Amino acid sequence: MREGRAMSVLTTRDPEIAAAIAADEGRQREELVLIASENYASAAVLEATGCVMTNKYAEGYPGRRYYAGCDHVDVAERLAQERGKKLFNAEHANVQPHSGSTANMAAYFAVLKPGDRVLGMRLDQGGHLTHGSPVNFSGKLYEFASYGVDRETELIDYGEVARIAREFKPKIIVAGATAYPRVIDFQRFESIAHETGALLMVDMAHIAGLIAGGVHPSPFPHANIVTTTTHKTLRGPRGAAIFCRSGLAKAVDSAVFPNVQGGPLMHVIAAKAVAFGEALKPEFKTYAAQIVENARGLAAALSAGGLRIVSGGTDNHLILVDMTLLTLTGQQAEDALRTAGIIVNKNTIPYDPRPPRVASGVRIGTPAVTSRGMKGPEISRVAKFILAALRAADKRDELGSIRARVAKFASQFPVPGVSDRG
Ligand code: DSN
């Protein structure tokens, strides 16, 4: 067991934390993790994340650090950079951002001045806080306009993107989403950016693993800057990276350090290198294709069970399910599913009359269950559990008995990186 030695030390020295970690391992084993942005990192990624490189200060970049003793962390960071560039066919990689938000902040700082105009996707139709929400630094520092999806098709309205871009004249157009189940046409975004004199930034955090696996079109070479997290479909450690064309390399690097961050997390950078290496292997393509096949299978089964799937289906790792037909809110659906051991998040649907804290839908993703080895037949079981829990939303006893069945079912699948060595 990977955790054997480390956990025995922790169990003795800090039993409270050891117990909390063990309990979360149990939760991850017994529940169905269907949060679209979560995944299971491999044993190798976990080992690197927990390694001694956490002890090292390495402000700067490989070969030009502000501290001595960086030879070995330089090896790790160079490997992460090289593997990341190869994986995404990018000219330059910065692997230091601690999170998706700091990656987006650094990307903006690299090319914008405060007050500059940016066009991004509406948060309530699938965007992200850092794409211009007024409660986020992005909406406070820059002047944002936003585009959304068509009311009928629930697909990105590229005509609207072009219309707004022509009028608003943003310095950057941001493409990328956290709750959009369809292919994003980066080539189309590029031509709109080109026509209106904007730069194109792509936030590929959710779909990076699908792009790496060749099952979603790549933002390269269409975008000027591409940001990503490393822990979602990519299955790496919690963190982020920025890729860009060579011409922007200097601006991006100095935006990350020293502008936004100080010392990089070298243990996490080592783990990013491991994850990029894993994603370069041929079997990652099979994994990425299975994520999408599972999401499509889940959408079809839930639709056959009477639920409305936003946009009629999915092309990627997630589905948005409208709970209105069941007369449940997104919050009620999330609660019922959680009680049954099925973990999703409530989510607004396009043109949602309800606020985000209540919402009318749930977002369901397949990356984590795919990492546990689930395929078609298991996804049918998952859909049956979901439908049963939603129909029993106000019956706690029934939800409790579904929870027991879910735990028995889920426990048959190893938790990657913990109960196996995968
Ligand atoms: N919080 C992430 C998600 O769940 O989509 C985005 O940062």
Side-chain angles (χ1 to χ4, degrees):
M1 299 274 281
R2 186 202 74 82
E3 73 276 24
R5 188 172 156 272
M7 286 303 284
S8 67
V9 171
L10 202 53
T11 306
T12 312
R13 299 219 183 134
D14 195 333
E16 287 169 292
I17 283 295
I21 294 171
D24 204 52
E25 277 183 20
R27 181 192 71 78
Q28 292 190 30
R29 186 168 49 248
E30 291 181 4
E31 291 183 339
L32 288 172
V33 175
L34 293 166
I35 305 264
S37 49
E38 292 184 8
N39 210 335
Y40 295 98
S42 70
V45 167
L46 290 180
E47 190 173 324
T49 309
C51 80
V52 292
M53 285 186 179
T54 192
N55 299 332
K56 189 72 197 93
Y57 251 119
E59 280 168 331
Y61 289 99
R64 44 199 175 96
R65 305 281 191 186
Y66 289 85
Y67 294 83
C70 289
D71 307 69
H72 308 301
V73 295
D74 276 4
V75 172
E77 184 160 351
R78 283 200 176 103
L79 281 170
Q81 291 168 333
E82 290 313 311
R83 290 176 186 174
K85 285 195 287 184
K86 187 166 174 203
L87 188 60
F88 293 111
N89 200 18
E91 291 175 8
H92 179 74
N94 185 306
V95 295
Q96 293 194 359
H98 304 327
S99 73
S101 292
T102 55
N104 285 349
M105 179 183 266
Y108 294 146
F109 282 5
V111 290
L112 297 174
K113 291 189 303 304
D116 276 349
R117 291 184 164 184
V118 188
L119 174 58
M121 191 167 186
R122 288 173 59 161
L123 177 58
D124 63 352
Q125 293 192 6
H128 186 250
L129 277 173
T130 56
H131 299 179
S133 164
V135 297
N136 181 262
F137 79 88
S138 55
K140 295 179 202 284
L141 275 186
Y142 306 109
E143 187 185 346
F144 265 85
S146 39
Y147 59 87
V149 298
D150 178 81
R151 196 179 275 273
E152 292 303 315
T153 62
E154 300 178 312
L155 303 177
I156 290 174
D157 184 344
Y158 293 94
E160 186 197 30
V161 178
R163 263 195 312 280
I164 301 174
R166 279 182 210 120
E167 275 169 32
F168 186 64
K169 300 230 175 305
K171 194 149 179 204
I172 308 183
I173 299 176
V174 182
T178 64
Y180 184 67
R182 295 300 189 171
V183 162
I184 300 178
D185 188 342
F186 297 125
Q187 203 166 352
R188 191 91 188 264
F189 269 107
E190 180 189 27
S191 69
I192 296 168
H194 187 73
E195 181 204 321
T196 57
L199 295 175
L200 177 61
M201 169 174 152
V202 171
D203 178 345
M204 65 169 181
H206 261 260
I207 53 173
L210 306 184
I211 292 164
V215 293
H216 187 290
S218 174
F220 307 93
H222 308 296
N224 302 87
I225 304 187
V226 178
T227 60
T228 188
T229 50
T230 44
H231 50 271
K232 297 186 173 91
T233 45
L234 209 43
R235 288 196 68 188
R238 191 155 292 274
I242 304 177
F243 301 94
C244 63
R245 295 184 185 160
S246 310
L248 284 171
K250 208 158 170 271
V252 164
D253 284 353
S254 58
V256 173
F257 170 84
N259 198 349
V260 173
Q261 293 184 176
L265 309 177
M266 295 316 303
H267 55 308
V268 179
I269 288 172
K272 288 173 191 172
V274 175
F276 294 157
E278 289 177 350
L280 280 163
K281 293 195 172 132
E283 52 266 36
F284 196 84
K285 288 194 190 319
T286 313
Y287 166 66
Q290 190 67 52
I291 292 177
V292 177
E293 196 178 319
N294 284 350
R296 287 204 169 118
L298 193 57
L302 295 180
S303 175
L307 298 182
R308 188 181 87 79
I309 311 297
V310 168
S311 84
T314 181
D315 301 322
N316 62 21
H317 62 301
L318 68 84
I319 58 179
L320 268 183
V321 189
D322 181 353
M323 288 297 146
T324 316
L325 290 176
L326 290 184
T327 63
L328 292 172
T329 65
Q331 179 67 66
Q332 288 165 332
E334 179 192 293
D335 288 345
L337 291 168
R338 178 177 43 80
T339 309
I342 302 164
I343 307 303
V344 304
N345 64 278
K346 61 180 170 288
N347 214 100
T348 51
I349 57 172
Y351 303 95
D352 202 321
R354 296 194 171 92
R357 275 180 199 282
V358 183
S360 296
V362 293
R363 186 184 68 161
I364 307 182
T366 54
V369 290
T370 307
S371 295
R372 291 185 81 174
M374 295 190 197
K375 294 187 175 150
E378 293 82 22
I379 293 299
S380 299
R381 288 285 303 277
V382 170
K384 285 193 179 115
F385 284 131
I386 292 173
L387 288 164
L390 291 173
R391 288 184 188 127
D394 53 356
K395 302 187 185 86
R396 293 204 76 81
D397 287 354
E398 214 169 311
L399 290 174
S401 97
I402 296 169
R403 183 182 185 89
R405 296 205 302 277
V406 163
K408 194 166 166 213
F409 168 74
S411 298
Q412 296 165 30
F413 298 88
V415 176
V418 175
S419 47
D420 72 349
R421 309 232 2 128

